[in-house]
Amino acid sequence: MNRYLFISLMMLTASAEAFERQHDSHEHGAATMMLAVDGHELQLRIESPAANFLGFEHAPRTEQELQQLKQAEAVLRDPAQVISLSTSAGCKLEKAELASSIKQHKSDEDHNHEHDEHGDDHDKNGHNHDDDHDKHGDKHEEQGHGHEDHSGSENHSDFAIDYHFDCSDIAALKQVEVQLFSQFPLLQTLELQYIAPQGQGAAELTPANPVFQF
């Protein structure tokens, strides 16, 4: 079965109540994991607000925040730091993909830099930058735009992580232990949806209960 069909099948057949609640409310502290087993293949997908991994959702504004982002991405790209599988199942990673919307948001520093360049162009052309900036600001206010919109609460960012494993003895896969809780303490609940030969359903994992057993 195609790896993308795994996710589509799960979205259609597994209980979606927790998943929908997570995405409708963008609930910090909560994330979702979808798990599918077909033949000898294991597919996992984790979706989470960026705040659970970083403590913020805007584009990095400082060197420290940039390093936090790089460290989080490095962890999430390495499934050995995210989950533990039954070793007897002989699962080998075929592919790991990480997607994040956080880089789409423009930082205040970038925004200010654009204004500086915009001002330089006006100065070179003999314009009064202060007057133009005031007019520019008035225009933004009239249209309902403000600088605070660039970092407002509506600018949510998310992570999506996909892991695809090929397992030599998939029948020996008895459990999945989630290590995300120890890596990212801000994460408090992981709503799991699964489909496997044993059946399909949902479960909730927490720092106190990070193990899912088939």
Side-chain angles (χ1 to χ4, degrees), residues 61-96:
R61 297 170 181 166
T62 65
E63 183 62 29
Q64 180 180 357
E65 289 181 347
L66 179 60
Q67 290 305 314
Q68 284 179 254
L69 176 59
K70 290 181 177 180
Q71 291 172 7
E73 289 179 338
V75 169
L76 295 172
R77 286 194 177 96
D78 181 8
Q81 299 189 63
V82 175
I83 56 171
S84 292
L85 305 174
S86 305
T87 55
S88 56
C91 296
K92 295 183 179 180
L93 181 68
E94 293 290 314
K95 184 177 291 185

Side-chain angles (χ1 to χ4, degrees), residues 15-70:
S15 173
E17 181 180 352
F19 179 82
E20 291 174 355
R21 184 175 67 250
Q22 153 73 11
H23 284 268
D24 288 343
S25 63
H26 189 86
E27 182 182 354
H28 292 182
T32 60
M33 181 166 75
M34 292 169 282
L35 181 155
V37 175
D38 184 76
H40 55 85
E41 296 182 319
L42 169 65
Q43 172 74 18
L44 291 166
R45 180 177 178 86
I46 299 170
E47 297 187 357
S48 170
N52 292 338
F53 302 144
L54 304 173
F56 59 88
E57 296 196 340
H58 52 261
R61 297 170 181 166
T62 65
E63 183 62 29
Q64 180 180 357
E65 289 181 347
L66 179 60
Q67 290 305 314
Q68 284 179 254
L69 176 59
K70 290 181 177 180

Side-chain angles (χ1 to χ4, degrees), residues 6 11 48 62 81 99 102 105 116 133 138 174 183 187 189:
F6 286 173
M11 293 291 288
S48 170
T62 65
Q81 299 189 63
I102 194 168
H105 296 323
D116 290 342
H133 190 275
D138 291 340
K174 301 300 183 183
Q183 295 283 3
L187 180 63
T189 59

